[in-house]
């Protein structure tokens, strides 16, 4: 290797470590704000984050960085595959970042840092009006940035690509149409039965006891407590510092043990993905999950395909009965399975059952698409939200808190993220079919530890972190391109069986 | 104002905001690591902190910074008193920082980031040997840095000055001698009585109940929960992001409610100081408490002078009885007061009573002084520790975990800090005497809120943040120089009364 090349590679490593450090700092500040920080502290946090993000922006876009990346890109054939991927990913980020004027980038970071607080308050007080101007700013910045980045492309396609490379509205529309075609009639049939009225409703779960359940579930999933702990927050999320330091969060409701239970399993799925990265990716752009679609495929794999399966529920019921003896005294495994999988149109996405869930996602997708196309103003989001809930799910939305203010994504700037949830669910169903060729999934669920399942995913997905683009990785795992039929068939089989329809 | 001056003042504000942002980031990372982070995560944290501290170092020492500060210092007469103080404080830091070679500064930060973990483990496993090399590095770096900074001054004097400007070994020796002269005979007399055997010992305090007590105490002290919350950690500390965002921490022991109760009051005193800063100091070098001695004067004021007073204990006893009805059923106010003030030689500084506390501090002071003077090797700290505990307190140290591994200060690089605790206690006694000229302290304690006391301190101390050096501030508050007699007389009166000696 030439001396010049050695020096450049050292610079590349140094650049990525600096980016890592700034990400670490922002993540730490975010984690604190979302879990333990006192309420009225957003000003000081916003000031600090704005300055740190300015440093991050400068690192990514400064002349030296661009020259370095371009030099290495021109000498691709001298790089290891890992180094080449580092350069590729950094250049991609750079292409996006360099199109945004620095003042706008910083101004947007300030909006975001304020938005979280404004949204929380608006949601608590059912006051869309107070959130509206901030939400409008966030949509406007995202539309503007998408146009800066790819002036010749539909900005919502650009936006979808930020979370799932390769995704387009055309693909989304086709995918959602397939889902709608099968799910809507199935839900209709289910609603015609009186099954839901026979399912037990349990209440009164002390938080301290729910914390015991969290520990048990994380252990069952094979999550190492020396590298991952669970905090409390309003809207559960997962955050990774490195592959050795991942945090999940949950929210405990006394009246509803399911919310936290499935948040823990869902976030636990994200955590396993991050914890399973190979050491070589550390402190490089390749570290961390490759896309939101793949990430959600892992979280929703554990949440639904495993966590809401009859085998898993049967396996953990004895422990659940031990923790909540009174509530679960008369509950058989089959009853628990049916209760957990109760399908019914509802208001809140994160509390929706597996079957109706995708309809919640579609509503958000339709709204984002329309705002990006200029066909819907942010002012009219509440009305459009309520109209779509009526149309798709048949429910009346009684308040914006239970309507368009329910999710944290938009206030965090994550527009174009929602389709990943549905897509990830469908990815997972196809992965499960592939997994069954190697593993007796039901036997693993019953065995007291999901580790063999996580190991299978780890070998095929986790260890690679961001080495391969999502479409490539998917085909590596499944040996075929993505096909939503697996998911539709899975849902039809599962819910026809439960509801006898 | 000249255009040049306007530009320079803008640069000054920008510089301080950047420093603020890097401090914010490090604080956030530290807070996380000390409260919620999983155990085996120090590597990634160390890498991030090392890079961030390099940026901080560069900001403080780069040519532009020095030129800016020197320019402003030369134009002092054109500055407001606040701006002049900003420049003064920044120059002071700069004088210290610029004497340290950057590689050594970064290497030291790495040692510190590792040290916390190593010390925790060593303490848990009673294994001084595993901590010894790191502790030696920390002492060596501190000695070296002190010599770089002030080559012509005794390095331990330099070290004391980092925490309390103006403090010297000579002053410390004299102060400690006064204390020893009065306290040691008093303790001896107390030990000759059989009073301690008659004091009740209470146990069995559920953590959830203790958390209720924390809330009550913070409220009683007038701490605004929208700007200050309490977390859990091994060794309680207070951390401030801004005057609007302060965190305290405690540790709950099921068998000992006093530990957390007095940690909360102590850290609450630190918090009030930080929360009470005037808005104008925000994002400048003047923000935050001025010295460790003044800081400890505020924390130990609330902990001891107020929190362990008969008036306060009598006032809160009804609530304590409500929270712990079984344990406190038969406890009268006087019994509670005597129980809380039980004086006896012991092993652990943070659990020591008010009277013997200073002897614990003196032992650490003696050891630091000797290591700095080259009269004691780090290898021999355990033996010297145990010898001094026998000599000063008459107790045998059964293990290093309960001996020289008990405190977090050395692993955090805080050598020269300990005297602040004793000094702060003594400052407080003199401030209390002054406060009594304006306020009926006992009546305030009984009134249900300590706010009038905090307001008195706020007007005289908190609002000024770091505007005045500790000696200056002290004289502003008390109208006289520091005189340890107040403290000695306070202790003698209080404990003679309790023990009838």
């Amino acid at each position: 290797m030439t001396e010049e090349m050695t020096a450049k590679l050292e610079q590349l490593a140094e650049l990525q470590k600096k980016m890592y450090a700034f990400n670490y700092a922002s993540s730490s500040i975010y984690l604190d704000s979302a879990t333990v920080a006192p309420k009225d502290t957003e000003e000081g946090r916003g000031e600090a984050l704005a300055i740190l993000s300015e440093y991050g922006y400068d690192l990514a876009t400064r002349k030296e960085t661009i020259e370095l990346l371009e030099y290495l890109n021109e000498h691709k054939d001298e790089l290891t595959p890992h180094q080449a991927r580092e350069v590729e990913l950094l250049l991609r980020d750079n292409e996006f970042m360099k199109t945004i004027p620095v003042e706008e980038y910083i101004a947007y970071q300030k909006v975001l840092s304020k938005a979280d607080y404004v949204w929380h308050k608006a949601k608590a007080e059912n006051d869309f009006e107070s959130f509206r101007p901030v939400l409008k700013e966030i949509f406007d910045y995202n539309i503007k940035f998408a146009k800066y980045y790819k002036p010749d492309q539909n900005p919502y396609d650009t936006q979808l690509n930020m979370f799932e490379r390769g995704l387009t509205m055309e693909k989304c529309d086709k995918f959602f149409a397939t889902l709608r075609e099968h799910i809507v009639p199935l839900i209709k049939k289910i609603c015609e039965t009186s099954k839901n009225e026979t399912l037990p409703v349990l209440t009164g779960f002390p938080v301290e006891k729910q914390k015991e359940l969290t520990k048990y579930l994380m252990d069952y999933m094979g999550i190492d407590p020396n590298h991952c702990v669970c905090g409390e927050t309003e809207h559960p999320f997962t955050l990774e510092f490195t592959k050795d330091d991942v945090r999940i969060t949950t929210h405990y409701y006394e009246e509803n043990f399911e919310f936290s239970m499935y948040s823990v399993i869902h976030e636990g799925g994200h955590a396993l993905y991050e914890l399973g990265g190979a050491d070589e990716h550390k402190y490089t752009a390749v570290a961390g999950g490759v896309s939101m679609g793949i990430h959600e495929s892992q979280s929703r794999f554990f949440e639904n395909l495993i966590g809401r399966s009859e085998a898993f529920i049967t396996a953990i019921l004895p422990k659940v009965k031990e923790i909540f003896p009174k509530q679960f005294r008369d509950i058989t495994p089959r009853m628990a399975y049916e209760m957990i999988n109760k399908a019914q149109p509802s208001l809140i996405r994160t509390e929706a059952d597996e079957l109706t869930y995708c309809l919640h996602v579609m509503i958000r997708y339709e709204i984002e698409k329309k705002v990006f196309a200029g066909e819907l103003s942010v002012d009219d989001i509440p009305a459009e939200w309520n109209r779509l809930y009526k149309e798709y799910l048949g429910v009346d939305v009684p308040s914006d808190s239970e309507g368009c203010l329910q999710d944290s994504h938009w206030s965090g700037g994550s527009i174009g993220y929602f389709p990943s949830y549905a897509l990830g669910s469908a990815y997972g169903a196809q992965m499960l079919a592939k997994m069954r060729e190697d593993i007796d999934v039901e036997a693993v669920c019953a065995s007291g530890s999901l580790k063999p399942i996580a190991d299978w995913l780890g070998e095929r997905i986790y260890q690679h972190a961001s080495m391969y683009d999502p479409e490539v990785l998917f085909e590596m795992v499944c040996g075929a391109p993505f096909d939503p039929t697996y998911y539709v068939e899975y849902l039809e089989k599962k819910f026809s069986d439960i509801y006898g329809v």
Side-chain angles (χ1 to χ4, degrees), chain A:
Chain A
M1 198 182 299
T2 64
E3 246 178 66
E4 189 179 13
M5 193 53 159
T6 310
K8 295 283 181 196
L9 287 175
E10 263 171 38
Q11 286 168 36
L12 177 68
E14 202 186 320
L15 169 69
Q16 293 178 97
K17 234 180 192 174
K18 283 182 179 169
M19 288 174 159
Y20 158 79
F22 282 99
N23 278 335
Y24 193 111
S26 311
S27 296
S28 174
I29 295 169
Y30 173 74
L31 180 67
D32 173 67
S33 79
T35 53
V36 298
K39 225 175 56 167
D40 295 342
T41 53
E42 72 289 356
E43 186 204 293
R45 184 176 307 114
E47 293 288 347
L49 280 173
I51 289 164
L52 295 168
S53 75
E54 198 170 340
Y55 274 91
Y57 177 91
D58 177 60
L59 256 183
T61 58
R62 67 202 308 174
K63 214 173 99 244
E64 297 91 310
T65 298
I66 295 173
E67 283 170 4
L68 172 68
L69 295 176
E70 281 169 356
Y71 174 93
L72 291 168
N73 197 38
E74 282 156 22
H75 296 73
K76 246 195 294 229
D77 46 333
E78 297 171 45
L79 303 178
T80 65
H82 203 280
Q83 289 161 345
R85 179 68 173 173
E86 292 168 26
V87 172
E88 185 184 4
L89 292 174
L90 290 167
L91 272 174
R92 268 189 211 167
D93 268 358
N94 194 273
E95 269 162 35
F96 171 63
M97 293 284 272
K98 77 180 178 194
T99 64
I100 307 175
V102 61
E103 312 76 44
E104 294 189 24
Y105 180 77
I106 293 162
Y108 176 57
Q109 298 305 319
K110 281 205 179 180
V111 170
L112 286 187
S113 113
K114 176 181 64 177
D116 183 64
Y117 171 76
V118 175
W119 163 70
H120 265 106
K121 200 157 177 284
K123 187 185 168 198
E125 295 168 4
N126 186 33
D127 178 12
F128 178 77
E129 190 46 33
S130 68
F131 183 46
R132 191 183 50 76
V134 183
L135 183 61
K136 194 162 159 25
E137 279 191 280
I138 292 175
F139 265 100
D140 286 349
Y141 272 116
N142 274 279
I143 294 169
K144 199 160 35 163
F145 291 173
K147 286 180 180 168
Y148 285 153
Y149 181 32
K150 305 258 174 177
D152 305 325
Q153 187 170 290
N154 183 301
Y156 194 60
D157 272 343
T158 306
Q159 200 68 21
L160 288 172
N161 253 268
M162 309 253 193
F163 298 98
E164 192 68 5
R165 195 173 173 85
L167 191 61
T168 61
M169 282 190 284
E170 198 192 330
K171 286 186 195 173
C172 269
D173 287 339
K174 210 186 285 177
F175 168 57
F176 282 134
T178 308
L179 289 189
R180 205 159 38 217
E181 191 187 316
H182 290 82
I183 293 175
V184 171
L186 184 55
I187 293 173
K188 204 163 165 274
K189 276 195 264 178
I190 285 172
C191 287
E192 285 161 6
T193 74
S194 54
K195 174 100 191 176
N196 281 347
E197 291 148 39
T198 69
L199 297 173
V201 176
L202 311 180
T203 60
F205 299 91
V207 170
E208 288 309 304
K209 288 284 163 189
Q210 291 195 54
K211 288 186 182 171
E212 266 185 59
L213 182 59
T214 296
K215 268 217 170 105
Y216 173 71
L217 292 169
M218 288 175 73
D219 181 57
Y220 209 97
M221 292 176 76
I223 295 171
D224 180 349
N226 291 328
H227 294 290
C228 180
V229 291
C230 183
E232 288 180 62
T233 190
E234 178 72 20
H235 295 266
F237 62 89
T238 297
L239 183 150
E240 70 287 349
F241 289 106
T242 67
K243 59 152 294 238
D244 297 321
D245 189 358
V246 178
R247 316 301 175 86
I248 66 172
T249 54
T250 189
H251 190 101
Y252 297 108
Y253 295 99
E254 294 258 349
E255 292 315 301
N256 176 358
F257 82 101
E258 284 177 54
F259 184 89
S260 172
M261 170 166 171
Y262 285 97
S263 292
V264 168
I265 302 178
H266 177 98
E267 305 305 335
H270 283 305
L272 283 170
Y273 187 7
E274 293 294 338
L275 290 163
D279 277 337
E280 61 174 333
H281 310 313
K282 257 194 200 174
Y283 314 128
T284 76
V286 183
V290 68
S291 75
M292 282 306 126
I294 300 292
H295 237 305
E296 291 300 332
S297 80
Q298 298 313 293
S299 55
R300 295 186 61 78
F301 190 96
F302 280 97
E303 179 190 351
N304 294 317
L305 301 172
I306 302 298
R308 288 190 165 94
S309 72
E310 191 160 7
F312 179 76
I313 289 169
T314 303
I316 67 161
L317 190 60
K319 182 69 186 185
V320 174
K321 281 182 185 252
E322 191 188 309
I323 297 175
F324 305 116
K326 208 179 66 197
Q327 293 89 335
F328 278 89
R329 199 184 47 200
D330 303 323
I331 305 292
T332 65
R334 181 70 191 184
M335 281 163 76
Y337 171 61
E338 292 185 351
M339 182 180 82
I340 290 291
N341 285 292
K342 184 178 182 176
Q344 60 182 356
S346 64
L347 288 167
I348 308 294
R349 179 183 58 83
T350 53
E351 295 171 19
D353 56 88
E354 195 178 356
L355 185 62
T356 59
Y357 184 86
C358 288
L359 298 178
H360 292 261
V361 170
M362 281 181 223
I363 291 169
R364 288 145 178 84
Y365 167 69
E366 296 293 342
I367 289 175
E368 291 180 349
K369 206 167 66 166
K370 282 183 186 160
V371 176
F372 263 66
E375 294 163 10
L376 177 71
S377 129
V378 165
D379 304 4
D380 298 328
I381 285 180
E384 180 65 4
W385 183 284
N386 299 352
R387 193 186 68 75
L388 286 167
Y389 262 80
K390 189 72 186 174
E391 184 184 325
Y392 285 20
L393 284 149
V395 297
D396 292 308
V397 178
S399 74
D400 292 335
S401 292
E402 294 157 281
C404 65
L405 289 173
Q406 68 181 264
D407 296 307
S408 62
H409 300 63
W410 290 343
S411 67
S414 296
I415 301 171
Y417 184 125
F418 284 114
S420 317
Y421 288 114
L423 207 62
S425 304
Y427 284 171
Q430 194 168 342
M431 290 172 184
L432 178 62
K434 189 73 190 172
M435 187 187 280
R436 288 193 190 285
E437 294 175 11
D438 302 321
I439 289 184
D440 180 344
V441 173
E442 281 65 32
V444 171
C445 285
S447 74
S449 165
L450 302 180
K451 200 170 170 298
I453 290 174
D455 285 346
W456 190 95
L457 294 165
E459 201 187 314
R460 285 157 186 82
I461 302 173
Y462 304 166
Q463 66 154 319
H464 300 305
S466 290
M467 267 304 280
Y468 308 104
D469 278 352
E471 282 176 313
V472 177
L473 181 67
F474 187 89
E475 288 214 30
M476 282 168 60
V477 177
C478 293
F482 169 57
D483 174 0
T485 322
Y486 287 90
Y487 186 48
V488 168
E489 283 175 2
Y490 158 80
L491 288 175
E492 285 183 331
K493 184 162 176 287
K494 176 170 182 174
F495 287 92
S496 303
D497 168 53
I498 293 176
Y499 283 91
V501 293

